[in-house]
Structure formats: structure tokens, C-alpha cells
Amino acid sequence: QSVLTQPPSVSAAPGQKVTISCSGSSSNIGNNYVSWYQHLPGTAPKLLIYENNRRPSGIPDRISGSKSGTSATLGITGLQTGDEADYYCATWDTSLTAVVFGGGTKLTVL
Amino acid sequence: QVQLVESGGGVARPGRSLRLSCKGSGFPFSAFGLHWVRQAPGKGLEWVAVISDDGSNKYYADSVKGRFTISRDNSKHTLYLQMNSLRSEDTAVYYCAKDMGYGELDSWGQGTLVTVSS
């Protein structure tokens, strides 16, 4: 059971928009920055969003992040088949003194 | 260009030990915290441990506390994970990752597979 809760899967058609939610508590999301990662099997995870809503260089602006209270959301517009991957939210948990990951969400582009 | 290369994975019997290494290049190694993150077969990402830039602060996941030790040698640009009393549930791909500053991991290695089996 992960400290951060994500939906196991989401799906949408090419060109459409999808959002992935991440729910936590005041000891993690509520008081710390949230980051998001894309992970394709057999490859290194890639940072998509840091500090809740900032994109590293090279990440397109069709990818966005937001945070409100103890929840965060990743948004991807203009879906492409290449976006099919597992997506994880993460943050520091002050009570656990640990980085915590969500359980991951599998994105399928139909 | 930041590069992190893990090594040291392999097969170990339950109760035995293994030491992983992660060689960093392309960035000021001694200026950043470093993490180990793992992924067991069919499971999600699980954070394992973090060490501060100078090695003075270390934190561990409850699942490995007391069994694993994270360390670093800044002169060799290398991060380590000493894994003792291995269990079958430690079987996973282990990644090292660089911390941006707030527990956000901006660069990752390709991973090294650890299999614990009798």
C-alpha cells in the first residue's frame, strides 16, 4: 500500500487530454514539492515535473503539473502513442523522513 | 552531460550480502545528494535510501533499515549501497539517481538487477 494514491490506469485516444491524480496527506504533498516521473520498461525513469509545476528543459509544454492542498495532478495534452508508459508521483514525507512514491499509473493511448 | 552508471548486481542467496556501486560523471558530484530507488518485478518504484552531498545525512526506507547502508566516496565520484541479510523481496532493479535539491530526482542510471534466490 503506497503512501501516495494514484489510479492504477488511465486511457485516452491520440490527440486527447488525460489527467493523473496523486493523493497524499499534510506530512507529504501538503507541505512538500511534488515531482512526476515517466517510466518505460527497461529504461531509466525520466523526470517530467518538479516543484509541483516546473518542467525540466526538454519536456514539452503539453505536459503540466499542479498541486492543491494534499493532492497533485499531472496533465498531458495532445496524447501520442509514445506517451504510453507508467507515471509516478513522488514527494518527501516529513513524518517518515523518506521519499514516497505513488503506486504508479499505466497510461494507455488507445 | 550527467551520467550515472550502476554496477554490482547479480544473484545472491538469502541472508548473504551484495554491494552496489554507482559512478557519476558530468556534474559536480560532491554538490548533490544521491538516492537509490528500486523496482521489483511487476511492481512500482520504491525509494530505498538517500545520502546528502557530504555524506553526513542518510535516510532509509523502513523495508531496508538496519540491513542496507548507503555511502559515498566523493573523491571517486561513486555512490554505494551495501546490502546485508538479503531477502527474496529485495529482488529488483536498483537505480541510483541524483537529487535536484528537494528530493526530486533529475537524473537516473540505467539500473542493475539484483536477484535473491536460493
Side-chain angles (χ1 to χ4, degrees):
Chain A
Q1 194 79 356
S2 302
V3 172
L4 305 181
T5 301
Q6 296 181 234
S9 63
V10 296
S11 62
Q16 296 299 303
K17 173 184 177 179
V18 70
T19 60
I20 298 173
S21 61
C22 176
S23 178
S25 69
S26 59
S27 67
N28 43 66
I29 291 178
N31 284 285
N32 294 290
Y33 286 127
V34 176
S35 52
W36 289 90
Y37 303 87
Q38 178 191 59
H39 191 205
L40 292 154
T43 70
K46 177 195 289 187
L47 177 67
L48 298 178
I49 295 288
Y50 67 100
E51 292 181 10
N52 304 329
N53 56 18
R54 301 183 67 178
R55 288 185 306 275
S57 60
I59 302 300
D61 60 5
R62 63 188 187 86
I63 292 176
S64 63
S66 64
K67 187 182 102 166
S68 177
T70 59
S71 293
T73 301
L74 176 72
I76 307 175
T77 60
L79 278 170
Q80 304 168 2
T81 55
D83 293 327
E84 287 201 334
D86 297 319
Y87 292 82
Y88 296 87
C89 58
T91 186
W92 180 257
D93 191 297
T94 309
S95 296
L96 297 174
T97 57
V99 172
V100 290
F101 280 92
T105 299
K106 183 176 182 61
L107 169 62
T108 301
V109 181
L110 301 169
Chain B
Q1 179 183 352
V2 174
Q3 195 166 12
L4 295 165
V5 179
E6 303 94 338
S7 61
V11 180
R13 296 198 184 279
R16 302 303 292 265
S17 299
L18 212 56
R19 188 177 83 155
L20 305 183
S21 299
C22 171
K23 176 83 170 175
S25 61
F27 67 101
F29 189 85
S30 61
F32 292 91
L34 296 166
H35 299 252
W36 288 101
V37 177
R38 67 185 181 183
Q39 184 178 37
K43 303 291 186 180
L45 297 176
E46 179 189 16
W47 177 79
V48 173
V50 62
I51 186 168
S52 59
D53 53 1
D54 64 357
S56 61
N57 293 299
K58 305 173 185 181
Y59 299 98
Y60 299 90
D62 285 344
S63 57
V64 307
K65 205 170 291 183
R67 300 187 300 122
F68 289 12
T69 301
I70 189 171
S71 63
R72 65 191 295 165
D73 185 335
N74 285 343
S75 68
K76 295 182 179 178
H77 288 201
T78 303
L79 170 72
Y80 302 101
L81 185 67
Q82 178 66 43
M83 304 186 295
N84 298 333
S85 302
L86 283 164
R87 305 168 180 168
S88 57
E89 53 264 37
D90 296 320
T91 294
V93 175
Y94 285 73
Y95 299 96
C96 63
K98 171 180 159 290
D99 192 311
M100 288 182 70
Y102 293 104
E104 296 149 320
L105 313 181
D106 64 341
S107 297
W108 297 63
Q110 288 298 314
T112 187
L113 176 62
V114 172
T115 302
V116 182
S117 173
S118 55

